[in-house]
Amino acid sequence: MSIHELLPQIKDISPFKHYGKVTQVLGLMIESKGPQASVGDLCSIIVGKAFPRKILAEVVGFRDQNVLLMPFDRVEEISPGSLVETMNHPLQVKVSSAMIGSVVDSLGRSFDGSELEGGFQSFSTDNPPPNPLKRPRISEPLSLGVKAMDGLFSVGKGQRMGIFAGSGVGKSTLMAMIAKNSNADLNVIALIGERGREVRDFIERDLGDEGLNNTIVVVATSDQPALMRIKGAMTATAICEYFRDQGLNVTLMMDSVTRVAMAQREIGLAIGEPPTTKGYTPSVFAILPRLLERSGMNESGSITAFYTVLVDGDDMNEPIADAVRGILDGHLVLDRKLANKGHFPAINVLTSISRVMNDIVSEEHQQTADYIRNMLATYHDSEDLINIGVYKKGSNKEVDEAINMYPEIMAFLKQGLNESNDFSENVKMMIQQFGKGGQA
């Protein structure tokens, strides 16, 4: 790096350190008199008398000339008068290809405490999304290795999809299938607000060594402070952006956006924001598009993103689900009734959609997918009559065809965790079985 490139950085360096003192701790929030800092800046709070250590915190607002801080750690050791030192910059994480195959926390540190070796670069966790006029259009499908998705909800490189489901319907299993079977250059999986027990289960049971070899896992468990859960989502997206800028096609899987929204609600309520829709604060609906719009295409590479949304009581119209659905390029709805029957992935074909599928698949592929949806819709409309034995064969030709095709369609859509074909094989299989009205 030349001296001319370093000059702007040198000008920003201050010869002074700015300090403040803690005046109040109220719930999640720390209030201090000083230091001079901006919203989003990192600060360190010096705690402990015999063995001083630093707790990282972030400036989240101001009140009567006092600074409002939210900690990255627990606040037990903070006392009145604890020194607060500003770092004069927002959170940055160290990123390099040495992270591939590892599990890191929200600050990019190895979760098992080991040191990651490699040429790391500092990368901001909060970056603007790509310029809308410079985003290339999505024109190429991404092979996911999941028959239902490749066939009926084809996903393009740079597309953003939502996975909507209640608890225990198979979101993590579907994410693991995508991570192991897709032909993306790299997978980044963000586990936000997960139970501690489930993290290792997901990595060892669902993902396995095969999936982890090409994956970076970012973990922020449910016991961590709200700010760590938000930064987990930001850090995972920043890692994807770093590798996208290197020209790679990256797949981002975030489980779940709902817990990011809940963490932002905690922070918003703590700093005095009014609760609005179902208790969510206005900042929740500001942070969602800021986070979700960062994925997608840019001039160098792509981030194909899958965001899971945990819907309370399987209500697909609750505020977060509604907001996320309006931002993304499609959504998959996982059906508890299908999951209870042992049908995985439990995708409800009739309530799911991919908004870019028409632009990336052939006409024959699109027609076959439409035929399958039509057969499922026809069967669903007459299902009650069929189940109680009222419907008589021959009454309606289309219903007769739907009854005959339904077992074949459901068998095609069902897939084991270790079963995999690429995009072209899945599409070819679907067209051979159901093309031209199921006659091929």
Side-chain angles (χ1 to χ4, degrees):
M1 189 177 285
S2 68
I3 187 67
H4 298 290
E5 293 173 312
L6 289 170
L7 279 175
Q9 298 178 32
I10 294 171
K11 288 178 182 177
D12 290 339
I13 296 174
S14 171
F16 304 102
K17 284 189 175 183
H18 297 277
Y19 289 94
K21 286 187 177 182
V22 171
T23 58
Q24 180 175 256
V25 175
L26 189 62
L28 300 172
M29 190 194 65
I30 302 163
E31 191 170 324
S32 71
K33 189 74 174 175
Q36 184 179 339
S38 305
V39 171
D41 278 358
L42 271 186
C43 293
S44 57
I45 303 170
I46 302 168
V47 298
K49 296 176 182 177
F51 302 99
R53 68 182 185 92
K54 293 181 178 181
I55 292 176
L56 284 178
E58 183 176 294
V59 179
V60 293
F62 306 97
R63 180 185 295 153
D64 299 330
Q65 305 299 314
N66 286 353
V67 179
L68 303 181
L69 300 158
M70 199 64 64
F72 286 91
D73 204 345
R74 297 168 69 176
V75 299
E76 277 81 356
E77 294 183 75
I78 298 174
S79 58
S82 291
L83 280 179
V84 181
E85 178 187 347
T86 181
M87 297 183 178
N88 292 314
H89 63 78
L91 177 65
Q92 295 181 332
V93 291
K94 302 285 187 181
V95 188
S96 90
S97 56
M99 298 174 78
I100 298 174
S102 63
V103 182
V104 299
D105 68 3
S106 300
L107 305 181
R109 304 171 300 197
S110 177
F111 221 84
D112 61 7
S114 62
E115 288 292 329
L116 295 171
E117 297 180 1
F120 286 89
Q121 294 184 28
S122 293
F123 201 78
S124 173
T125 61
D126 195 357
N127 302 302
N131 186 319
L133 295 182
K134 293 183 179 179
R135 283 182 186 251
R137 293 188 62 193
I138 298 170
S139 57
E140 187 181 348
L142 177 70
S143 176
L144 300 174
V146 181
K147 289 185 290 185
M149 296 180 71
D150 284 343
L152 298 179
F153 310 102
S154 302
V155 174
K157 290 180 180 176
Q159 186 174 350
R160 300 159 306 149
M161 290 285 282
I163 301 174
F164 293 72
S167 56
V169 188
K171 298 186 302 297
S172 298
T173 304
L174 181 58
M175 283 172 50
M177 289 173 71
I178 294 169
K180 288 196 287 189
N181 300 336
S182 82
N183 65 355
D185 298 319
L186 175 69
N187 301 303
V188 177
I189 300 177
L191 302 178
I192 310 299
E194 283 283 359
R195 305 173 190 88
R197 175 189 63 80
E198 290 185 338
V199 173
R200 189 164 182 177
D201 282 353
F202 174 78
I203 292 168
E204 294 185 0
R205 182 192 63 204
D206 296 335
L207 198 57
D209 291 338
E210 178 190 354
L212 188 59
N213 285 338
N214 195 38
T215 300
I216 300 170
V217 183
V218 180
V219 175
T221 52
S222 59
D223 61 292
Q224 293 182 325
L227 191 60
M228 283 291 273
R229 281 173 267 149
I230 292 174
K231 291 304 176 186
M234 295 289 189
T235 295
T237 307
I239 291 170
C240 291
E241 289 169 330
Y242 171 83
F243 287 104
R244 177 178 63 184
D245 292 345
Q246 310 298 314
L248 299 183
N249 295 310
V250 185
T251 298
L252 167 64
M253 284 163 277
M254 188 177 295
D255 185 15
S256 71
V257 172
T258 307
R259 295 192 180 108
V260 176
M262 288 177 174
Q264 182 61 39
R265 177 173 63 182
E266 285 181 44
I267 292 175
L269 292 172
I271 64 175
E273 280 189 76
T276 53
T277 313
K278 285 198 174 179
Y280 287 101
T281 57
S283 62
V284 173
F285 300 99
I287 198 175
L288 285 175
R290 206 174 91 206
L291 174 65
L292 303 180
E293 284 289 349
R294 287 169 60 185
S295 53
M297 300 276 284
N298 73 356
E299 302 96 318
S300 304
S302 69
I303 300 173
T304 307
F306 297 90
Y307 299 98
T308 71
V309 180
L310 184 64
V311 288
D312 293 332
D314 293 337
D315 176 14
M316 297 299 164
N317 295 316
E318 58 98 24
I320 301 304
D322 211 36
V324 171
R325 190 165 50 237
I327 298 167
L328 300 180
D329 308 317
H331 55 271
L332 302 173
V333 177
L334 302 190
D335 193 322
R336 191 174 298 279
K337 290 181 180 177
L338 287 174
N340 291 341
K341 293 176 184 176
H343 180 107
F344 291 101
I347 299 171
N348 187 325
V349 172
L350 301 179
T351 55
S352 304
I353 190 171
S354 169
R355 292 179 181 168
V356 303
M357 181 174 175
N358 292 351
D359 299 329
I360 60 174
V361 302
S362 67
E363 187 176 347
E364 186 180 21
H365 180 175
Q366 184 66 55
Q367 288 175 350
T368 306
D370 289 343
Y371 170 76
I372 291 174
R373 283 194 200 92
N374 183 42
M375 287 294 99
L376 288 174
T378 303
Y379 184 89
H380 178 75
D381 290 343
S382 306
E383 189 172 15
D384 290 341
L385 296 176
I386 296 165
N387 288 340
I388 64 176
V390 174
Y391 178 78
K392 292 183 179 179
K393 192 173 182 181
S395 302
N396 185 305
K397 186 178 178 181
E398 193 172 2
V399 174
D400 290 343
E401 186 180 1
I403 293 170
N404 291 332
M405 296 303 297
Y406 184 77
E408 290 184 45
I409 292 171
M410 298 308 287
F412 172 78
L413 297 177
K414 194 173 181 179
Q415 183 171 338
L417 182 61
N418 297 314
E419 182 185 343
S420 173
N421 293 306
D422 66 20
F423 180 84
S424 58
E425 289 174 336
N426 284 331
V427 172
K428 183 179 178 182
M429 193 188 313
M430 185 179 81
I431 291 174
Q432 284 178 344
Q433 196 168 352
F434 306 106
K436 295 183 181 178
Q439 299 302 311

